[in-house]
Amino acid sequence: VVNCWTLNKLFATAFVVASKYSYDCVYSNKFYAALLGLTLPELNDLELSFLALFDFAVAPEPFRWIKMHCIVTRIAFEPAVA
């Protein structure tokens, strides 16, 4: 569930995965966890869950990217339930 309390963890996880995908030389998860204020087991679990959500396809084909973008956009702009 993504909400105002978990959004920072989602962005942190996306940052780690994007860094690992984009760069040849990356830091360890221990470094990223300390930098982002997470525990190492928590970051490892978040990264695994994030990658599983995308079926471990970090660079999905265009149609799949558009579909995920629409899902994320819809979630981000849904009105808050009171």
Side-chain angles (χ1 to χ4, degrees):
V1 175
V2 177
N3 58 39
C4 61
W5 305 110
T6 61
L7 191 59
N8 63 330
K9 291 182 181 182
L10 175 63
F11 284 137
T13 307
F15 168 77
V16 170
V17 171
S19 294
K20 289 181 176 184
Y21 177 77
S22 300
Y23 301 107
D24 292 332
C25 182
V26 295
Y27 295 101
S28 67
N29 273 14
K30 184 176 180 181
F31 173 82
Y32 285 124
L35 178 71
L36 299 167
L38 302 169
T39 65
L40 179 58
E42 184 179 24
L43 179 58
N44 289 339
D45 290 343
L46 288 168
E47 183 179 13
L48 181 61
S49 297
F50 186 87
L51 289 168
L53 177 67
F54 291 96
D55 295 326
F56 294 86
V58 181
E61 55 276 354
F63 174 75
R64 189 166 181 193
W65 185 90
I66 292 169
K67 181 180 175 184
M68 290 304 291
H69 174 73
C70 291
I71 291 169
V72 170
T73 303
R74 187 185 74 226
I75 291 170
F77 292 103
E78 281 182 352
V81 177

